[in-house]
Amino acid sequence: MCRELRREPSWVAAIRLAFLQGRVDVESVVEEANLIPGKERTVRDVLSTMADRGLLEELDGRDCYVPGPVLIESDRYDLDFDRASDGGAHRWRSSG
């Protein structure tokens, strides 16, 4: 994560959204990763690559993805995310 700009890699945001919301699209990744406008094409490429590798599965060619077999079969998928941030790591409040 780039702490100075409060941005993180698109793939990290996509995995978090897949775990927490069960659905990933370009707009949600741009928002979650706090990316600057104009990065939609890059995010679309990242999501497509993640689908090619089995991390995500595309829903009917609509640029919307759900967790793929690699994420579902990982040992992290069934963790309790009740205490996870609703707004993403870059929006977590620091204590102190």
Side-chain angles (χ1 to χ4, degrees):
M1 176 183 204
C2 178
R3 295 186 192 283
E4 294 80 20
L5 300 176
R6 297 182 177 265
R7 295 189 183 119
E8 66 186 6
S10 300
W11 64 270
V12 172
I15 289 173
R16 182 182 306 104
L17 289 168
F19 280 143
L20 296 177
Q21 296 180 5
R23 182 181 176 278
V24 180
D25 60 27
V26 172
E27 293 79 22
S28 64
V29 172
V30 168
E31 181 180 342
E32 182 72 14
N34 197 30
L35 299 175
I36 59 174
K39 294 295 183 184
E40 293 82 6
R41 181 174 166 215
T42 301
V43 171
R44 193 169 284 109
D45 290 344
V46 168
L47 295 178
S48 174
T49 299
M50 291 176 76
D52 291 344
R53 295 180 179 172
L55 291 160
L56 300 173
E57 272 187 20
E58 189 172 14
L59 291 176
D60 301 325
R62 301 179 311 184
D63 284 336
C64 181
Y65 299 84
V66 295
V70 172
L71 285 183
I72 291 172
E73 294 168 10
S74 75
D75 62 347
R76 302 280 183 206
Y77 194 73
D78 291 327
L79 294 177
D80 180 9
F81 287 98
D82 289 340
R83 300 188 68 187
S85 167
D86 289 334
H90 61 279
R91 296 189 196 101
W92 287 355
R93 293 189 181 116
S94 60
S95 57

